[in-house]
Amino acid sequence: MNSKKYNIIVFTILLSGLFIFALPTIVLDPFFHYHKPFEWQKYELKEERYQNDGIVKHFEYDAIITGSSMTQNFKATEMDELFDVKSVKTTFAGGTLKEVDSHLRRALEANPDIKCIVRALDATMLVNGKDQVNYEGCPEYLYDKNIFNDGEYVFNKEIFYKYTLEGIAYHCTAEESTSFDDYASWYRERPADGKKVWDNYVRGEKSDGKREFSELYSEMLQENIIQNVVTLAEENPDTTFYYFIPPYSICWWDIKNQAGETEFYLQAEKEAVELILQCENIRLFSFWDEIELICDLDNYSDDVHYGEHINSQILRWMKADEHRITKDNYEQYYAKIHDFYTSFDYDNVFGNE
C-alpha cells in the first residue's frame, strides 16, 4: 500500500470517528443550536447562557420573559393566561442590560412577530458601561451564524458527556420536559424567609460622605439606557415592552443609606425613567413605592431577591396597568419615593451601632 492511499484511509477513519462522535450532539442538540426539540423528545432546561439562544431561535412563542435573577421565578403559564400569549422564559443570572439587549436582538431577528416582552431593569445595572457584561467565556459560538466555529459545540467532550449523554438519560427516565415555569427558578432552594434574611443581615458602617451622581455617571447611564433599552423598542414598534424596576427590600435600602448612596440610586432611576418614557411602546413600571411589600422581609430570600409570589403579583400589576410610570405621574412618583427613602428611620429598625 502506497503512502498516499494509506493517508487517505487514515484521514477517512479519523473523519468518520469525528462524525460518529459529533452525530449524537447534532441530532439531540441539547442547546437547540440547530433545531427545536423533536415532538417525542423530553429535554431538560438548565443552562441559561447555553440554551437561551436556541430557545428564542427555534421554539414557538410570541412573548418573552427575560432579565436577571429578578425574573427567574416568573411562571410562563401565568404570563400566558394573563396576556393571552405563548411565552418562553430566557433569563440570565447577573445579566447586564447589554447582555439582555443582545439576546433580545437575536430573538427579534429570529421571530419578528413577538407581541410582548417582560423584562427587569435592575437598579444596580443602570449605571454600567454600555458594553459591560458580567460573565466571561459565554458561548459566542452558539450565538453567531458562523458554522465553522461549531466544532466548539459538536466536538466538545464536556458537552458530549455532561449534556448529550445526560440528555439521553433524561429523555429515558424523566416523565416530562422542564417547563418554563421551573426553568432557572431558584425559589424551592431559597424560599422567602424573613427571619433568615434578618438573621443573616450584617449592617455596614455609616459612611461619612455621599456618593454624588456626577455628570460622568449621568453620561454612562444615558449611553447604557439608550443603547440597551430604548433603541431596541424604537426599532420594533409593533412589540410592546413591559419593563419594570424590581422592588428591593428595605435591607438593600439600608445598605445604600449606610454607604451614602440613597440619593445616587434615586437620581439614577429618575434619569433612566425620563429616557425610557420617550418611547411609546415601552410600558414602564416601578415598585419602589410598594412600601408595605418592601418593608416586609417575609417577601424576601435575601436583601434583593423576592419570592415567586411577588413575581406573580408583578405580572398581575403590569396587566392591570398598576404602578405604571408615565410622563404625567413620574414627578409625583419620584417625590413620593424620594421623601420616603431619604427620611426613613433606618437606625430605629436596624440599630445604630
Side-chain angles (χ1 to χ4, degrees):
M1 181 184 298
N2 60 44
S3 60
K4 182 178 180 180
K5 186 177 291 186
Y6 175 79
N7 290 336
I8 292 173
I9 292 173
V10 171
F11 179 76
T12 302
I13 291 172
L14 289 174
L15 194 63
S16 298
L18 287 172
F19 177 74
I20 292 170
F21 178 83
L23 187 61
T25 299
I26 294 172
V27 174
L28 184 64
D29 199 10
F31 300 151
F32 321 117
H33 185 50
Y34 301 112
H35 59 81
K36 67 181 180 181
F38 300 109
E39 290 187 8
W40 47 263
Q41 181 182 352
K42 288 177 288 186
Y43 53 86
E44 185 177 15
L45 300 176
K46 61 179 181 178
E47 292 289 349
E48 295 171 316
R49 287 177 170 81
Y50 286 80
Q51 293 178 309
N52 283 349
D53 196 68
I55 289 170
V56 297
K57 286 179 178 175
H58 298 298
F59 280 48
E60 295 178 3
Y61 65 96
D62 58 11
I64 299 177
I65 300 169
T66 191
S68 68
S69 55
M70 299 293 106
T71 61
Q72 288 177 312
N73 291 326
F74 279 120
K75 290 182 170 61
T77 53
E78 293 180 346
M79 172 80 177
D80 296 350
E81 183 177 353
L82 284 168
F83 291 83
D84 190 25
V85 294
K86 183 177 182 180
S87 62
V88 293
K89 183 174 70 174
T90 52
T91 56
F92 297 85
T96 62
L97 300 189
K98 169 65 175 179
E99 182 176 19
V100 176
D101 178 72
S102 297
H103 172 67
L104 288 175
R105 287 183 176 279
R106 295 191 296 271
L108 283 158
E109 181 181 1
N111 183 0
D113 296 324
I114 297 173
K115 293 180 181 178
C116 64
I117 293 170
V118 168
R119 174 187 180 186
L121 302 177
D122 301 57
T124 54
M125 303 290 184
L126 298 178
V127 190
N128 280 347
K130 62 184 177 64
D131 296 316
Q132 179 176 328
V133 292
N134 288 343
Y135 287 84
E136 296 181 358
C138 286
E140 298 291 338
Y141 57 87
L142 295 175
Y143 302 164
D144 60 32
K145 299 178 181 179
N146 180 12
I147 63 171
F148 296 105
N149 63 11
D150 283 2
E152 296 184 60
Y153 177 41
V154 299
F155 299 129
N156 189 312
K157 184 170 65 174
E158 182 180 357
I159 289 174
F160 178 77
Y161 287 111
K162 188 175 180 180
Y163 298 102
T164 302
L165 293 186
E166 286 189 11
I168 294 172
Y170 184 89
H171 170 76
C172 294
T173 59
E175 294 184 0
E176 58 186 3
S177 299
T178 308
S179 72
F180 284 110
D181 287 1
D182 294 329
Y183 179 34
S185 176
W186 44 261
Y187 188 64
R188 290 187 180 89
E189 290 73 35
R190 292 187 289 150
D193 185 341
K195 184 178 184 304
K196 187 175 180 180
V197 175
W198 183 262
D199 290 344
N200 290 338
Y201 181 63
V202 178
R203 197 181 197 202
E205 294 184 4
K206 183 72 173 177
S207 172
D208 292 332
K210 291 186 177 182
R211 186 182 182 187
E212 298 296 331
F213 196 80
S214 66
E215 184 176 343
L216 175 62
Y217 286 125
S218 180
E219 290 176 358
M220 287 177 60
L221 180 142
Q222 290 179 45
E223 291 177 353
N224 192 23
I225 295 299
I226 291 172
Q227 174 181 287
N228 299 315
V229 178
V230 172
T231 301
L232 183 66
E234 291 176 338
E235 294 172 351
N236 295 273
D238 295 329
T239 301
T240 302
F241 295 80
Y242 288 83
Y243 287 171
F244 71 94
I245 298 171
Y248 299 154
S249 82
I250 196 64
C251 288
W252 184 85
W253 284 101
D254 183 60
I255 292 170
K256 300 310 167 189
N257 180 67
Q258 290 294 98
E261 296 181 336
T262 304
E263 293 274 9
F264 179 91
Y265 281 96
L266 289 168
Q267 183 63 27
E269 191 213 37
K270 185 173 187 289
E271 292 199 14
V273 165
E274 290 172 344
L275 289 169
I276 294 169
L277 289 180
Q278 304 307 311
C279 196
E280 295 296 330
N281 57 322
I282 295 179
R283 296 188 180 185
L284 180 62
F285 299 81
S286 179
F287 307 106
W288 284 6
D289 61 344
E290 261 297 323
I291 306 304
E292 184 176 348
L293 183 160
I294 285 169
C295 290
D296 184 355
L297 295 183
D298 284 336
N299 290 317
Y300 293 87
S301 300
D302 55 35
D303 59 300
V304 296
H305 292 96
Y306 38 77
E308 63 180 3
H309 63 291
I310 302 301
N311 291 88
S312 299
Q313 182 61 61
I314 286 172
L315 283 179
R316 291 193 293 269
W317 276 328
M318 289 195 293
K319 176 58 180 176
D321 234 21
E322 297 180 27
H323 294 281
R324 184 176 175 185
I325 308 301
T326 67
K327 293 178 182 179
D328 294 330
N329 70 13
Y330 91 94
E331 290 281 7
Q332 181 180 359
Y333 158 81
Y334 177 75
K336 176 182 177 181
I337 62 170
H338 182 275
D339 179 65
F340 178 78
Y341 291 113
T342 57
S343 63
F344 184 78
D345 191 352
Y346 296 95
D347 289 339
N348 184 52
V349 175
F350 296 99
N352 189 13
E353 299 179 0

